[in-house]
Amino acid sequence: MVHIGYTMMTEQAGPRELVGHVVGAERAGFDFSVISDHSFPWLEAQGHAPYAWSVLGAAAQATSRIPLMTYVTCPTFRYHPAVIAQKAATMQLLSEGRFRLGLGSGENLNEHIVGAGWPAAHVRLDMLEEAVEIIRSLFAGGYVSHHGTHFDVENARLWDLPDDPPPIGIAVSGDRSCEIAGTYGDLLIATEPKQELLTAFDAHGGTGKPRVGQLPVSYDPDPDAAVDRAHRQFRWALGGWKVNAELPGPAGFAQASQYTRPEDVADAIPCGDDVEAFVDAVRPYADAGFDEVALVQIGGDQQESFLAWSEAKLLPALAEL
């Protein structure tokens, strides 16, 4: 059985709305929730980028059952890894053990704002590995000092540390990130149902650890409206992560996706209200061996109808996978 999650997409809704959405997701019966951590939307049509960690704190108080998770936070540019460790420990306490820390090597879209430049992918992955080592050291308790290739930590300690620190998930897209995930992570995070990622994860120590995927969807009783919305707000996703990690702002994504047609988006993202089409889109994750899949309903103003439809029709159908 694949557990089905709900995505708080910070790029398409404001902070109060996002909290209301996750409350609705808990009520509808979603198994878990995740949240993106952005400083910019992908396209201006999305129109939002509130601070994810404030939303998470509010969500922890507004909900009682549904697990919460960053999907994902970059611990190497906007945030120092020691600060991430403190935030994650606090979230685990606020949520009473419902929080998981999802980490990744980031996107230029969000990390450029601190003016630290955007190094090559292999450097970013080395930075991620060092950051995870620091976070793990702080989760272990006591004072931590670290003077590494990319980060310094001087006499740091987490004074409010949960008995069970949050599990750490690592986003993967190739062998090097799978090595980091298998070695340092408690779970794998991916946005594509690629079997080779899971195989590489297992080869580096990931056997038996959870695997979490994510899938954009565009529910609407009017299929044409669903396609139009997905094209306006989510066509950037068809560019692939080698492109998506590098572009510096919404204008770049608009230009890169200017020739993407609505029919291209409809081929890649389930649009409309055909339950079987949505189930068929989730199935490759189940077949590849993913344990969990978080759905992203496109359109910040379309969440309530999606949640009601999910409770009535989609979640019961997905329970049969």
Side-chain angles (χ1 to χ4, degrees):
M1 178 180 177
V2 178
H3 296 285
I4 303 300
Y6 173 81
T7 300
M8 291 179 276
M9 191 78 170
T10 60
E11 302 93 289
Q12 63 180 19
R16 293 181 64 86
E17 290 75 19
L18 289 164
V19 174
H21 297 162
V22 76
V23 169
E26 181 177 68
R27 187 183 306 119
F30 280 86
D31 296 312
F32 68 101
S33 67
V34 304
I35 187 170
S36 56
D37 186 352
H38 273 237
S39 59
F40 271 75
W42 300 98
L43 294 168
E44 287 193 11
Q46 292 177 313
H48 293 274
Y51 184 54
W53 290 86
S54 295
V55 175
L56 280 167
Q61 299 305 293
T63 59
S64 60
R65 174 195 60 80
I66 194 166
L68 304 163
M69 178 181 179
T70 49
Y71 207 99
V72 294
T73 283
C74 177
T76 54
F77 291 92
R78 280 183 296 157
Y79 311 130
H80 189 282
V83 176
I84 290 289
Q86 184 187 33
K87 294 197 287 190
T90 299
M91 266 304 303
Q92 184 74 323
L93 292 168
L94 282 172
S95 65
E96 298 182 294
R98 291 184 284 136
F99 182 66
R100 295 182 292 178
L101 176 62
L103 300 174
S105 58
E107 300 98 17
N108 196 10
L109 174 71
N110 303 302
E111 309 308 322
H112 76 270
I113 64 171
V114 296
W118 192 240
H122 74 275
V123 176
R124 303 197 303 265
L125 287 167
D126 288 347
M127 295 175 72
L128 174 63
E129 182 176 31
E130 187 176 334
V132 177
E133 290 176 339
I134 292 168
I135 293 167
R136 284 245 180 251
S137 296
L138 286 163
F139 281 175
Y143 288 90
V144 173
S145 291
H146 171 95
H147 301 286
T149 304
H150 302 287
F151 300 105
D152 291 301
V153 179
E154 193 65 53
N155 202 34
R157 177 184 172 185
L158 299 180
W159 287 89
D160 289 276
L161 184 65
D163 293 335
D164 295 314
I168 295 176
I170 306 292
V172 303
S173 59
D175 191 68
R176 177 69 174 112
S177 53
C178 288
E179 178 187 359
I180 298 170
T183 303
Y184 297 99
D186 299 303
L187 56 139
L188 171 145
I189 293 169
T191 57
E192 298 176 283
K194 292 183 175 179
Q195 179 65 57
E196 59 265 32
L197 295 176
L198 306 190
T199 301
F201 179 56
D202 288 344
H204 293 294
T207 301
K209 297 177 181 179
R211 301 111 201 279
V212 187
Q214 190 178 52
L215 174 71
V217 300
S218 186
Y219 163 76
D220 198 295
D222 181 347
D224 291 336
V227 171
D228 177 69
R229 185 169 62 250
H231 181 257
R232 281 187 290 105
Q233 296 196 22
F234 233 83
R235 65 184 184 274
W236 59 270
L238 276 64
W241 288 105
K242 287 187 177 180
V243 174
N244 292 346
E246 304 298 333
L247 296 176
F253 283 94
Q255 184 173 5
S257 62
Q258 64 180 314
Y259 298 115
T260 301
R261 303 169 302 171
E263 53 265 40
D264 299 326
V265 175
D267 287 342
I269 296 173
C271 296
D273 63 352
D274 181 349
V275 170
E276 286 305 312
F278 283 64
V279 173
D280 287 344
V282 174
R283 186 170 284 111
Y285 286 91
D287 292 344
F290 283 81
D291 307 286
E292 307 176 35
V293 179
L295 304 181
V296 185
Q297 164 64 6
I298 298 170
D301 59 350
Q302 301 294 319
Q303 302 302 306
E304 291 184 8
S305 59
F306 168 70
L307 290 170
W309 178 72
S310 296
E311 182 177 11
K313 296 185 177 181
L314 182 59
L315 292 178
L318 289 171
E320 302 300 319
L321 276 178

